[in-house]
Amino acid sequence: MVKGIKGKSEKLAMLLDANKALTSTLDLDRLLEVIMGQAKRVVNAEASSLMLLDETTKELFFDVTVGGEGEKLRQIRLKLGQGIAGWVAREGKPLVVANARKDSRFFRKADEVTKFRTKSILCVPLRIKERIIGVMEAINELSRGYFVDEDREIFEAFASQAATAIENARLFKNLKREKEKIEAVFGGMGDGAVVTDAKLNLVMLNNSAKNLLGIGKRNC
């Protein structure tokens, strides 16, 4: 009993550490790398992969992979329902597969492309409220050789944290892009323009305004 409690305590501590890692950056590319590194760690897997859902085509694509020759997986896209990942994305349910090669849903092309041998798979949906944004997989459990319900539970908890972090990073990226567009348009205006806050503190002024005010090239 004590051993069981200790095991759960260690997994909880690991999950908390993983959550701290997820909050360390808002850069989407870096975040996805962090997620994959932590995904392997929390369930002791040989490799991991993350597939995001293309809302336009309704296809899953490999955005980042860790282990094996993962870069080659970026060429592959899965339709909803195709492969184990496609099944999880379509059904919105986690899936534990002890022997991948005996499962009719197993998508063999990924192994053929990477020369990696998938034995066991743990796949869970990445969900924001009721919206599926992708799936996350852990591949080949390293100690016992297969994943169990306890692994699924901690992986689902981690996936929930990861999905929120991805959504936040996407929002930040979109806001940053819109800000850059506004600044580009604002800076290129022929007329002088000045932006202040409610207390009349200077927030932004364009090049024309700088010239009119005699500020020149000094920063404000």
Side-chain angles (χ1 to χ4, degrees), residues 152-167:
R152 175 186 55 77
E153 289 173 1
I154 193 171
F155 208 53
E156 281 190 285
F158 176 68
S160 177
Q161 297 171 344
T164 299
I166 290 171
E167 189 74 354

Side-chain angles (χ1 to χ4, degrees), residues 23-40:
T23 60
S24 65
T25 181
L26 280 171
D27 179 82
L28 184 57
D29 292 335
R30 172 60 185 150
L31 174 64
L32 294 176
E33 292 177 2
V34 169
I35 289 172
M36 289 299 88
Q38 294 297 325
K40 289 173 57 180

Side-chain angles (χ1 to χ4, degrees), residues 186 192-196 201-220:
F186 186 76
V194 177
V195 177
T196 64
N201 294 313
L202 181 63
V203 175
M204 188 189 308
L205 72 166
N206 65 5
N207 290 330
S208 296
K210 290 180 182 180
N211 292 333
L212 287 171
L213 295 173
I215 296 175
K217 296 183 179 180
R218 288 181 298 167
N219 292 326
C220 293

Side-chain angles (χ1 to χ4, degrees), residues 74-91:
R74 293 177 183 272
Q75 307 164 17
I76 297 174
R77 282 182 168 247
L78 298 179
K79 298 182 184 299
L80 291 180
Q82 184 181 12
I84 289 171
W87 185 92
V88 168
R90 184 186 66 191
E91 302 298 323

Side-chain angles (χ1 to χ4, degrees), residues 122-168:
L122 169 57
C123 186
V124 299
L126 292 168
R127 191 195 311 270
I128 297 294
K129 295 183 179 179
E130 297 303 313
R131 180 167 61 93
I132 302 293
I133 66 169
V135 300
M136 188 167 63
E137 290 181 320
I139 304 167
N140 298 349
E141 203 281 338
L142 289 173
S143 57
R144 73 181 77 83
Y146 56 90
F147 298 101
V148 296
D149 281 343
E150 187 176 346
D151 296 320
R152 175 186 55 77
E153 289 173 1
I154 193 171
F155 208 53
E156 281 190 285
F158 176 68
S160 177
Q161 297 171 344
T164 299
I166 290 171
E167 189 74 354
N168 289 340

Side-chain angles (χ1 to χ4, degrees), residues 161-208:
Q161 297 171 344
T164 299
I166 290 171
E167 189 74 354
N168 289 340
R170 280 176 163 177
L171 290 173
F172 178 77
K173 185 175 183 179
N174 290 337
L175 286 172
K176 185 178 179 182
R177 186 183 297 120
E178 290 303 313
K179 179 176 180 289
E180 289 171 351
K181 287 181 181 178
I182 292 171
E183 287 178 344
V185 172
F186 186 76
M189 291 173 60
D191 295 330
V194 177
V195 177
T196 64
D197 61 18
K199 295 182 179 180
L200 298 181
N201 294 313
L202 181 63
V203 175
M204 188 189 308
L205 72 166
N206 65 5
N207 290 330
S208 296

Side-chain angles (χ1 to χ4, degrees), residues 70-121:
E71 284 300 313
K72 295 180 181 179
L73 291 176
R74 293 177 183 272
Q75 307 164 17
I76 297 174
R77 282 182 168 247
L78 298 179
K79 298 182 184 299
L80 291 180
Q82 184 181 12
I84 289 171
W87 185 92
V88 168
R90 184 186 66 191
E91 302 298 323
K93 300 176 182 178
L95 191 63
V96 179
V97 180
N99 190 331
R101 294 177 179 277
K102 289 186 177 180
D103 194 298
S104 60
R105 293 164 293 193
F106 178 56
F107 185 72
R108 295 176 180 272
K109 186 177 180 181
D111 275 12
E112 292 171 0
V113 167
T114 61
K115 308 303 180 186
F116 184 82
R117 185 170 180 81
T118 298
K119 301 170 186 176
S120 56
I121 296 177

